[in-house]
Amino acid sequence: MTSTTSPAVTLSPSAAARVAWIAQKQGKPAILRLAVEGGGCSGFQYRYGLAETIEADDTVSETDGVKLAVDAVSLDLVAGCVVDYVESLGGAAFKVENPNAVAGCGCGSSFAV
């Protein structure tokens, strides 16, 4: 497990609060896993989920007691990102602010590098 003082990927305080709430409701640890998969309308898509444990090759950052885990393969595509949680009239969702993305789709769940 790699943990850094200046993490490659971070959780915003609003995202950390939402993950903590979801984890508490589901009785799981407050660990959000962010992964990147091929697919989506722009080439890659983000995948989120609560994790039970931290894997050996994960890079981990922590905000307000909530951990964000990213596997080594996905890290190259999301380095420097901030995972945020936004609420608007259109709904509420996790959103990745990815400085590496050169294109994205309207729904915000896929991107191209």
Side-chain angles (χ1 to χ4, degrees):
M1 171 176 62
T2 305
S3 187
T4 60
T5 53
S6 120
V9 182
T10 57
L11 271 176
S12 72
S14 64
R18 188 62 178 176
V19 170
W21 183 83
I22 293 168
Q24 190 264 333
K25 290 284 185 193
Q26 294 186 8
K28 293 187 174 187
I31 304 169
L32 179 68
R33 176 165 303 284
L34 171 62
V36 176
E37 298 176 333
C41 42
S42 294
F44 293 103
Q45 60 188 359
Y46 302 110
R47 188 183 51 150
Y48 307 94
L50 290 180
E52 293 288 335
T53 60
I54 302 296
E55 302 297 328
D57 69 339
D58 285 344
T59 294
V60 178
S61 66
E62 189 168 329
T63 302
D64 299 335
V66 176
K67 293 183 172 133
L68 174 63
V70 181
D71 64 89
V73 174
S74 298
L75 186 62
D76 288 342
L77 298 168
V78 296
C81 289
V82 175
V83 178
D84 196 9
Y85 181 76
V86 293
E87 294 184 33
S88 68
L89 292 175
F94 287 101
K95 177 183 173 188
V96 178
E97 297 169 14
N98 189 342
N100 305 309
V102 296
C105 65
C107 65
S109 64
S110 69
F111 67 101
V113 291

